Amino acid sequence: MRRLNRKKTLSLVKELDAFPKVPDSYVETSASGGTVSLIAFTTMALLTIMEFSVYQDTWMKYEYEVDKDFSSKLRINIDITVAMKCQYVGADVLDLAETMVASADGLVYEPAIFDLSPQQKEWQRMLQLIQSRLQEEHSLQDVIFKSAFKSASTALPPREDDSSQPPDACRIHGHLYVNKVAGNFHITVGKAIPHPRGHAHLAALVNHDSYNFSHRIDHLSFGELVPGLINPLDGTEKIAVDHNQMFQYFITVVPTKLHTYKISADTHQFSVTERERVINHAAGSHGVSGIFMKYDLSSLMVTVTEEHMPFWQFFVRLCGIVGGIFSTTGMLHGIGKFIVEIIYCRFRLGSYKPVSSVSFEDGHTDNHLPLLENNTH
């Protein structure tokens, strides 16, 4: 009884076979079919390799939402070298809420040499080259996001030469925490002093001829410090043509959450517009000499996530490639064979010439040939 049930089950399974087997005696092979098969297998191999490279690659997904975090502090990371001695310059932040953040809260004034060493000049040249390429090809930013990791560093390398030249500049570096409102970070003549109606800089004791706001921005970023990321102002160098010169940077900051396979961080992207002019009160150009960075925060927040193609999607695409090429090449081969057979048959039919007609004396013609020929005399 069990054996009978097993045979019935096996017979039912055989009837459900969607891939019937054709005996080899019924299969006809041809040279054209073999050629098409070789082309199909080669195409499948190439497309499979390309699809595997796509499967290994990742891409960045951008999502936008309203930034609802207003209570936290914004971190500003600064590394700027000014071509003036440290006792002559002062840096601080003043926001729209009239809150002043003094540079003593997190910035370090370090005497330095403004001219770079050969190795540092090469670093700056490469950084400026990357900046120019980023302006032309925005998709390179995704590559920078994916390559950023905590062990990398884009900071200015230390001097490799033992220069005995005395320091002629001041390197201002460190970080400040400010309110998440629009503000103005500036470096100008004299140290900042508190004032009931705002703030002021003690510039009376500084000789006017010593003003020189030529500067180099080695690094400027907002939010968590992420080594490996290149910001729009990194590597910027400006040379003042006059003692009374103002450099302005108008910055729009966009909060960004970065999630890649190597790092997750809360950072900020920003765009910048630059402007510079000479202060000449007699000509109507008023203002204060110095470096002014006016920043404003966007109300939108961007979440950048690195994504990878799931394996099931890769498998489905691979099956589509194999099945599609088999079906397409099979149809093309059948159509081509059909066309060739039609042309060949017409050519063979056209090779037979019609039989000439027989004329009679009364003017009639006979197009029929006699079925039998009388050979008797």
Side-chain angles (χ1 to χ4, degrees):
M1 187 69 179
R2 291 181 180 179
R3 189 173 299 176
L4 182 61
N5 292 335
R6 188 179 300 175
K7 289 183 179 181
K8 289 183 179 180
T9 304
L10 185 61
S11 177
L12 179 62
V13 171
K14 288 183 178 181
E15 291 180 358
L16 296 176
D17 187 8
F19 309 98
K21 309 301 182 294
V22 180
D24 294 338
S25 58
Y26 296 159
V27 177
E28 180 182 359
T29 58
S30 62
S32 61
T35 304
V36 173
S37 299
L38 290 176
I39 296 175
F41 290 141
T42 304
T43 306
M44 279 190 291
L46 293 176
L47 291 180
T48 300
I49 295 174
M50 294 173 62
E51 191 66 24
F52 186 73
S53 64
V54 173
Y55 172 71
Q56 287 184 319
D57 194 15
T58 60
W59 62 88
M60 308 305 293
K61 180 181 178 181
Y62 292 81
E63 296 178 338
Y64 303 89
E65 58 181 318
V66 178
D67 185 15
K68 300 178 182 179
D69 184 12
F70 303 105
S71 60
S72 63
K73 295 288 186 176
L74 174 64
R75 172 170 169 161
I76 306 178
N77 307 297
I78 301 164
D79 191 352
I80 302 176
T81 302
V82 185
M84 292 179 65
K85 294 184 177 181
C86 292
Q87 61 265 29
Y88 295 156
V89 294
D92 60 347
V93 177
L94 184 66
D95 59 24
L96 290 182
E98 298 296 331
T99 302
M100 188 185 77
V101 180
S103 60
D105 296 338
L107 296 183
V108 178
Y109 293 78
E110 180 183 339
I113 300 175
F114 188 76
D115 292 333
L116 298 175
S117 65
Q119 182 178 354
Q120 291 175 333
K121 287 182 179 179
E122 183 66 20
W123 171 87
Q124 186 186 39
R125 188 187 67 83
M126 291 299 298
L127 193 57
Q128 291 175 350
L129 179 61
I130 294 174
Q131 295 284 17
S132 62
R133 292 296 301 272
L134 283 173
Q135 294 178 1
E136 297 174 359
E137 303 179 20
H138 300 284
S139 59
L140 290 178
Q141 186 63 46
D142 292 348
V143 179
I144 294 177
F145 280 150
K146 290 189 288 186
S147 62
F149 55 97
K150 294 183 178 180
S151 61
S153 178
T154 57
L156 179 68
R159 300 185 70 92
E160 75 280 4
D161 56 346
D162 297 330
S163 178
S164 59
Q165 179 182 353
D168 58 350
C170 183
R171 180 190 174 199
I172 305 173
H173 61 96
H175 61 272
L176 296 173
Y177 287 96
V178 299
N179 297 322
K180 293 188 68 174
V181 295
N184 181 6
F185 169 77
H186 52 272
I187 302 173
T188 186
V189 179
K191 300 300 180 180
I193 56 175
H195 193 273
R197 297 183 179 180
H199 79 294
H201 288 260
L202 189 60
L205 302 178
V206 182
N207 188 5
H208 183 270
D209 294 335
S210 63
Y211 287 15
N212 184 4
F213 284 101
S214 300
H215 61 280
R216 182 178 62 254
I217 304 176
D218 296 325
H219 179 78
L220 179 69
S221 64
F222 297 84
E224 183 180 347
L225 183 61
V226 182
L229 294 183
I230 299 177
N231 298 278
L233 286 177
D234 293 353
T236 301
E237 183 175 286
K238 298 290 183 180
I239 304 299
V241 297
D242 192 271
H243 293 293
N244 282 345
Q245 191 157 353
M246 174 190 288
F247 296 91
Q248 292 177 305
Y249 299 92
F250 300 93
I251 300 173
T252 302
V253 183
V254 181
T256 304
K257 291 185 177 181
L258 181 62
H259 301 286
T260 68
Y261 291 108
K262 295 183 179 180
I263 189 173
S264 293
D266 292 336
T267 182
H268 290 70
Q269 301 180 82
F270 65 91
S271 60
V272 60
T273 302
E274 304 176 15
R275 183 186 177 190
E276 60 183 81
R277 60 187 176 92
V278 176
I279 303 300
N280 189 348
H281 298 286
S285 178
H286 303 290
V288 179
S289 303
I291 305 167
F292 297 85
M293 298 182 178
K294 299 181 180 181
Y295 60 88
D296 191 8
L297 277 81
S298 173
S299 59
L300 291 179
M301 181 176 64
V302 182
T303 302
V304 184
T305 307
E306 185 178 7
E307 292 193 346
H308 187 272
M309 181 187 296
F311 179 77
W312 66 266
Q313 187 175 354
F314 167 72
F315 184 73
V316 170
R317 290 165 64 99
L318 199 62
C319 292
I321 289 174
V322 176
I325 291 178
F326 260 118
S327 301
T328 304
T329 52
M331 288 188 297
L332 292 178
H333 179 255
I335 294 174
K337 187 176 181 180
F338 177 72
I339 294 174
V340 169
E341 287 179 353
I342 292 177
I343 296 175
Y344 184 70
C345 290
R346 288 186 176 181
F347 177 77
R348 292 195 62 182
L349 290 174
S351 62
Y352 293 100
K353 296 181 180 180
V355 181
S356 57
S357 58
V358 180
S359 301
F360 294 92
E361 293 181 357
D362 58 356
H364 293 85
T365 58
D366 186 6
N367 296 327
H368 300 280
L369 293 177
L371 296 177
L372 297 175
E373 183 177 356
N374 187 9
N375 292 327
T376 58
H377 297 283

